[in-house]
Amino acid sequence: MPRRRDAAAGLTQPSLRSWVRSRSWLPFPITTALVPAKDAYRDALRAGLEHAIAADAARIVAAEAASTNRRIRALKDRLLPLLEEALAAIELSLDEMERADIDGVRRVIGSRPQPPTG
């Protein structure tokens, strides 16, 4: 079968039609074994793609877990001590205000005139 050559960008190449018609490019003859082999290849390709997707998802989850662990460690090591110090300072201030109020009440009670006794 003669092959027609097509010219593209100044280069000549075999026509696609000649390759499709001749089937001489196939590395093996067409047999009934090709159908199960084709199905097995498709299944293997699908399994490979699913594995790649799952591996990528696992990598993303691992990266998120590491990032979350860094955030938790930063909260425990830096933010919580600052908040605890602020809470201690506020509690101390409230205790001092309470003592001052109690002392003020005692002074007011002590400065009242005593009713005459009998």
Side-chain angles (χ1 to χ4, degrees), residues 12 20 27 29 36 39-40 43 48-49 81 90 97 99 105 107 115:
T12 58
V20 171
D39 293 341
D43 293 343
L49 287 173
I90 290 170
M97 289 172 53
R99 273 187 243 121
V105 168
R107 281 188 215 129

Side-chain angles (χ1 to χ4, degrees), residues 23-95:
R23 295 189 188 210
S24 63
W25 57 274
L26 289 174
F28 43 83
I30 296 178
T31 65
T32 57
L34 279 181
V35 174
K38 181 180 79 169
D39 293 341
Y41 176 76
R42 185 181 301 123
D43 293 343
L45 183 62
R46 182 174 290 125
L49 287 173
E50 288 174 358
H51 172 72
I53 291 169
D56 193 41
R59 181 190 57 79
I60 291 170
V61 168
E64 286 296 321
S67 175
T68 301
N69 285 338
R70 280 192 300 273
R71 287 187 197 120
I72 289 171
R73 202 169 36 251
L75 287 173
K76 283 182 182 177
D77 295 344
R78 298 196 179 164
L79 186 61
L80 285 179
L82 290 175
L83 292 175
E84 288 171 350
E85 287 177 16
L87 179 63
I90 290 170
E91 286 177 346
L92 180 64
S93 175
L94 289 174
D95 287 343

